Amino acid sequence: MMPRIFRRLLYAPIVLLLLVTMTFFLVRLAPGGPFSNERDLPEEVESALNARFGLDQPLHIQYMRMVGGLLRGDLGPSMKHRDRTVKDIISDHLPPSLLLGTTAILLALWVGITIGIISALRANTLIDYLGMGATVIGISLPAFVFGPLLQLIFSMKLGWLPVAGYGNASQLILPAVTLSLPFAARFARLMRAGMLEILSEDFIRTAHAKGLSEFTIVTRHALRGAILPVISFLGPAIAAITTGSLIVEKIFNIPGLGREFVESALNRDYTLVMGTTLVYGTFIVLCNMLADLSYAALDPRVRDAEEVA
Amino acid sequence: MTPLLNIEALNVRYHGVRGHTDAVRDVSLQIGAGESVAIVGESGCGKTSIALALMGLLPPKQITMNGIIHFNNQDLLSMTTKEIRRIRGRDMAMIFQDPMTSLNPYLRIGMQIAEPLWTHTPMRHAAARKEAIQLLDSVGFDNSIRDTQTYPHQLSGGMCQRAMIASALACAPKLLIADEPTTALDVITQDQVLSLIRTKQSEHGMALLLITHDLGIVAQTCERVAVMYQGQIVETGTTKTIYENPQHDYTRALLDAVPRLDGPRVHHLRTVGKETTPKQREEKKQSIQSTQRVVLDIKNLSVHFRSGRRHMRTVKAVDHVSFALNEQEVLGLVGQSGSGKSTLIRALLQLETPTTGEVFLKDWKLKNLTQRERHKLWQQMQMVFQDPYGSLNARLTAGRIIAEPLKNFSVVPRRQTRARVEELMALVQLDPAWQNRYPHEFSGGQRQRIGIARALACNPHILFCDEPVSALDVSIQAEVLNLLRDLKEQLNLTIIFVSHDLAVVRHVADRVAVMHRGKIVEWLDADRIVASASHPYTQQLMKAVPIPDPKRYHA
Amino acid sequence: MTGSPEIRLAGALYEGLTTLDPSTLEPRPGIADRWSISEDGKLFTFHIRPSAAWSDGKPIVAADFLHSWQRALTPATGGSYANLLFAIRGAEDYFHGKQTDFSTVGIQAPDTATLKVELTTPCAYFLELTAFPTYAPVRTDHIKEHGLQWTSPEHLVTSGPFMLNQWKPRQHIELIRNPHYWDASFVKLDRVTAMPLDDLNTAYQLFLKRELHWMVSIPQARIDEIKRNPDYYALPFFGTYYYRFNVTKPPFDNRLVRKALSLGTDREEITKHILRSGQTPVASYCPPVAGYKPIEGLLYDRNRARQTLAEAGYGPNGKPFPPVEILYNTSEAHKTVAEAIAAQWRRNLGITASARNVEWKIFLNDMRDLNYQVCRSSWIGDYGDPSTFFDCFRGGDGNNRTGWDNALYNQLAHTSRQESDSTMRYSMFRKMEKILVEDECPILPIYRYVNQGLLAENVNGWYGNIRDLHNLKYIWMED
């Protein structure tokens, strides 16, 4: 296992440097600058701002300075929210995103795996049809419909949960459910398919022939293999769930990084774009690494194949 | 005395979407305690259904079953699932055809062996582990303590089957059901596993129900035989009577279909289901004179791999192999799995980079080929694969599969593709009208014919056949072997025929190379294999080939 | 509260020399309790009230204003509103760097309680400007000390009725009463929480649950339902929605073409059938303010529109009209308006018109570079005088962005500044407006904004006004 981790850890900075470089040039290639607004900015103010953020320098100097800053861990101040540094913004807004994302992914895994297993064990029965029908709805129901629907039912009609906001556990429930829905549905489908495939394997017949109970067969013999499709989707899912939380953050007014990420790009907030992209980039690299490693941990064949390769 | 197992008038009917199939029809069979009985028949004859019925492993929703199954004085058919579960793995154990897939790839061997102990005995943890180690010891693992920690993929097929046997024996069952236990193994391993089963059977005094298509292994292992054909038992008797005096035509056909090492070389093997008496003529000596023109010249070829932790170990998969292949010659390449046969083929096809050595195709030195050159090479060297199921694209029709190399290598003008496909199908004795069918609509033997037709499509110089019949039933094996022989004569093919089975190779080859640990240890003339084999490994290979003659074992 | 709370709350945190009456928007004494104006109307002398103090207890002195205004006039620290200070003598030169000595600017603080401000020309609305946030004092010493951190709740020192207690970006801003405020005893609210809610639907639900008492905008999709809510208000607003023409490129370099399109636009259809929430259709640019009455403009007249287009040389007997594209920044509301207007032009004038959206920053770029034919625009006045609207369209003004430069208009803009008589000034503005929307038509006004929101019935001291200014000082809650 170790050489693979090391290799991946070696690749990570290269991947991130590429990401940073592409981001740097792409945002500057996009028309419009960070300071333009509906009301015209006097030339003097604009050039003062450009000087303050080093945008008056040639591109390669800007690039070197940016990389230098990154190496020192200094992302600079935001160009839009000029009284806040990018670091502040990330440290303010990343924790809510992480908390929401983690809750949502755990919820999605729990619900998805449960439904998937039950559907597979009761394949082609009413329970299975209901479960899979629910997943179709889950995949196709967009957050901007599902979120307000939950608000309407659980906050307005029943009054059980707060409409929006961030700070206590009860405020986390509705957004986490909204965010997890499509992923839970996908997990359920992957789990069902994986389970059905494993259950048709020869070694399951062997397990039956040994006289094992249904429960032991499912938990000990089938689950590990059946969960692999879920695991391989987990990396992209975690990435998608944390970067794609924009709409849910908006609906439930969660001060997450998703909105900062999108708005920074729209605002041409060069420094904030860099900061948020770097955070998400690192995150995605880590998630994929983790998914790969857990894949190897679950499947001894993958582990050995990597040792030899 | 009541027998251990009494099956009477058993019927098993599968319900499918398009009507039902009677897999087992009115079958009666008794097995006494400690007795070994074989059910012999081809794929689809219903023999496995009987085994699964005994174990209660048939899918209850898809079948109806009636008759009587009494085991150990219990009525199995009236038992609840829970009650049957208590018998499975304890009183009645089963091992399956493919040991690699029948073991759970995600769990350690030790655990899988100890599992019946946990389930059926109060034995736990340390005790179960100790028992698992002893079981592994008893089936021939030489480092059992370490091997309990391994995973199935880290073991060879033979070792996996040994582990399966250990697991089946864990609770000392009264009956062991072995369903094609050696079909996926090479001859030497097959021999070893069978002898293990025999030893264990006599040690434990358990009964054995061996299910197989191979009459060879039956002669060696069982006291009684039941021959099954289309869901029915057509003949039962002691092994001796069945072999010496087969009553049923089907039994005779089965016996004749096996290529034998001991008898004379026959030109055509008998195939089952064809009422015409096969021509059993002595082969004309040197009916085809292979020209002395060398097609393929291999000089000092080696392929080494690095493996293991930190790539410390070097595996010499092919070790200084040199030989020349003449035009119109059929070369048999024999060896166990892992002997380097497949790597050699891959190296010849330029799919592996040789560590040393040179290969010439006529005057063409095959080294550092470009993609385009390799493409050209592959037109001249074509391959027939082992698994006729996996090697055909299930989404293409037979016609398109055969036509693919024609397009790929632009062998014939587009307009003539169809005609050429029909010609090829006729050549491999398939009805050209079937070209619009999909692979799943063909039988295993027919699929292998499609594979051969595809390989022949672009008139290759050399045809590689990699274990083309080892996944097939004996009678189908016979059909394919006959076909290859016919094609060789008709088309003057140059063939490298790879197999682990000396008897099969002997049937088609002119010359036989025995490969062992990457080296060619012996060259034999196909006509004088038995007489001239001198290398101990060759002799071991020969000894391992099961011979459908009980006298050799029981006399 | 919703919207961009940072700006909305500036008025609660900072008080300038003057403040505006919550209902009439007339200037009232603020940090200055009295002032005098010289005969020629150019010299203002403000007297800072002795009780004026910062939220940290330090007294507010005249020099605080001097330093703050200097900061606002320094490009590196100033913003897009610096031009509001240009009424002061020498301010514009200092800002543009033509003069580096700040003592040349007409601001003096002879003692701690007196601030003398000298203007270039008399300015009728200067006392209103001094109530604008740009003129508010800030603690320059704190800014120096804390750098970027000066706006944080720990460091922000304010001069207004409230001070910052907590600021959680994207969650809420919490204001508490400033105990050192000179009129602290008058302030009724102990605590005000503002929430930036991007999702107006969520905001509406929070309002319905009375977790919010005031919503400054509403989810348009639920307008019909909200209109039935007794807490709903809709007031005329000091802003105009209009289209710009790029007059530098054909066919819009021809004023008759622009005029024809203006005549061919049925604004009532837009407000009545598309927007449906009380916007006033207008063909004029500047809203009525401080006694100014706008002219009518070119009202919808299909026949005249066709006739004018024909005069311009297009139509059945002239050249074919090239295809027109309306550029707007991505938004559902802009889209529906643009598509409706394109349809009207097709219908009324027989021209090929389409609408295209681009992202906000690209839109700004295209507008600045005159890389468009017709584009959507709007203007919201900064202070209660028509000049806040008309100044934009002087030739070369940064907010002009049409390429239009009219000598007569420029001249009128200049002379209106020198004029102190409001009747004279307003008649000049009416002339300018006529040039802008009837004769030359570099712009095509569409509707007057409406200020819509929801206000809980127990909120008192809230007065509807055209500029949507609501000083929290006067607001109180009934239990």
Side-chain angles (χ1 to χ4, degrees), chain B residues 57 70 93 136 182 267 321 331 353 387 392 433 481 515 536:
Chain B
L57 290 175
H70 278 186
L136 279 184
T182 58
H267 189 267
V321 167
L331 174 71
T353 315
D387 179 5
L392 301 181
L481 290 178
M515 206 165 170

Side-chain angles (χ1 to χ4, degrees), chain A residues 48-236:
Chain A
L49 283 170
N50 279 336
R52 183 165 135 201
F53 288 96
L55 298 180
D56 53 345
Q57 302 290 324
L59 264 190
H60 65 276
I61 302 276
Q62 288 185 42
Y63 178 75
M64 300 304 277
R65 281 189 185 174
M66 184 272 305
V67 173
L70 285 185
L71 292 177
R72 288 191 311 273
D74 178 15
L75 295 157
S78 158
M79 294 187 182
K80 165 89 179 171
H81 315 283
R82 278 166 234 156
D83 47 356
R84 297 174 73 200
T85 64
V86 172
K87 219 189 227 167
D88 287 344
I89 292 175
I90 290 171
S91 58
D92 279 353
H93 299 297
L94 183 61
S97 275
L98 284 182
L99 184 61
L100 178 62
T102 314
T103 317
I105 207 95
L106 291 177
L107 192 67
L109 279 174
W110 178 55
V111 172
I113 289 174
T114 311
I115 292 179
I117 292 177
I118 292 172
S119 278
L121 292 182
R122 301 278 172 272
N124 302 319
T125 64
L126 186 66
I127 297 175
D128 180 30
Y129 296 147
L130 284 178
M132 287 304 105
T135 62
V136 171
I137 296 172
I139 289 170
S140 46
L141 194 66
F144 63 81
V145 174
F146 189 53
L149 197 71
L150 289 180
Q151 282 178 331
L152 198 67
I153 297 170
F154 292 100
S155 311
M156 302 310 286
K157 293 269 186 285
L158 300 172
W160 292 349
L161 293 164
V163 177
Y166 177 76
N168 60 50
S170 65
Q171 286 172 320
L172 205 62
I173 297 173
L174 292 185
V177 170
T178 311
L179 191 55
S180 69
L181 180 77
F183 296 94
R186 263 190 209 110
F187 285 145
R189 298 187 77 88
L190 288 170
M191 190 69 215
R192 177 180 181 272
M195 201 70 186
L196 282 178
E197 200 187 319
I198 293 285
L199 286 178
S200 70
E201 293 275 0
D202 287 350
F203 61 80
I204 296 297
R205 195 182 51 191
T206 309
H208 279 292
K210 285 177 184 171
L212 304 184
S213 69
E214 194 78 22
F215 180 79
T216 315
I217 289 172
V218 168
T219 52
R220 193 188 294 155
H221 283 268
L223 200 56
R224 267 176 88 158
I227 211 165
L228 287 177
V230 172
I231 297 293
S232 40
F233 180 56
L234 197 57

Side-chain angles (χ1 to χ4, degrees), chain A residues 31-42 44-45 48 52 77 82-85 88 92-93 148 151-152 155-156 159 161 163-164 166 250-251 253 255 259-260 263 265-268, chain C residues 75-76 78-81 83 95-96 148-149 151 167 169-171 195-199 201-202 205-206 208-209 211 359-362 364-365 367-368 376-380 382 398-399 401:
Chain A
F35 309 122
S36 60
N37 210 333
E38 172 123 52
R39 179 183 285 271
D40 180 60
L41 198 66
E44 287 79 4
V45 177
R52 183 165 135 201
R82 278 166 234 156
D83 47 356
R84 297 174 73 200
T85 64
D88 287 344
D92 279 353
H93 299 297
Q151 282 178 331
L152 198 67
S155 311
M156 302 310 286
L161 293 164
V163 177
Y166 177 76
K250 232 166 146 170
I251 295 171
N253 212 43
R259 280 196 279 176
E260 302 299 335
E263 282 175 23
L266 293 178
N267 289 332
R268 306 287 189 270
Chain C
S80 44
Y81 286 92
N83 60 341
F95 181 77
H96 290 314
L148 288 178
Q149 296 295 310
T151 52
W167 178 33
R170 294 211 189 266
Q171 290 192 65
M195 288 174 71
L197 289 161
D198 285 351
D199 190 301
N201 193 51
T202 300
Q205 305 207 10
L206 286 171
L208 291 177
K209 294 196 92 177
E211 284 174 40
E359 190 208 322
W360 177 234
K361 289 283 181 175
I362 299 174
L364 291 175
N365 251 28
M367 196 156 71
R368 187 196 61 202
R376 72 114 313 238
S377 292
S378 56
W379 190 257
I380 293 160
D382 297 324
N399 291 314
R401 305 188 232 197

Side-chain angles (χ1 to χ4, degrees), chain B residues 2 12 14 27 42 44 53 66 106 139 144 172 184 220 234 237 239 248 287 319 335 367 374 447 493 534 537:
Chain B
T2 48
V12 177
Y14 285 84
V27 162
E42 291 173 281
N66 58 56
Y106 305 108
V139 296
S144 305
Q220 218 174 340
V234 294
T239 311
H248 199 273
S287 63
D319 194 9
K367 192 150 199 182
R374 283 212 275 179
R447 267 182 271 213
L493 286 175
S534 63
Y537 180 70

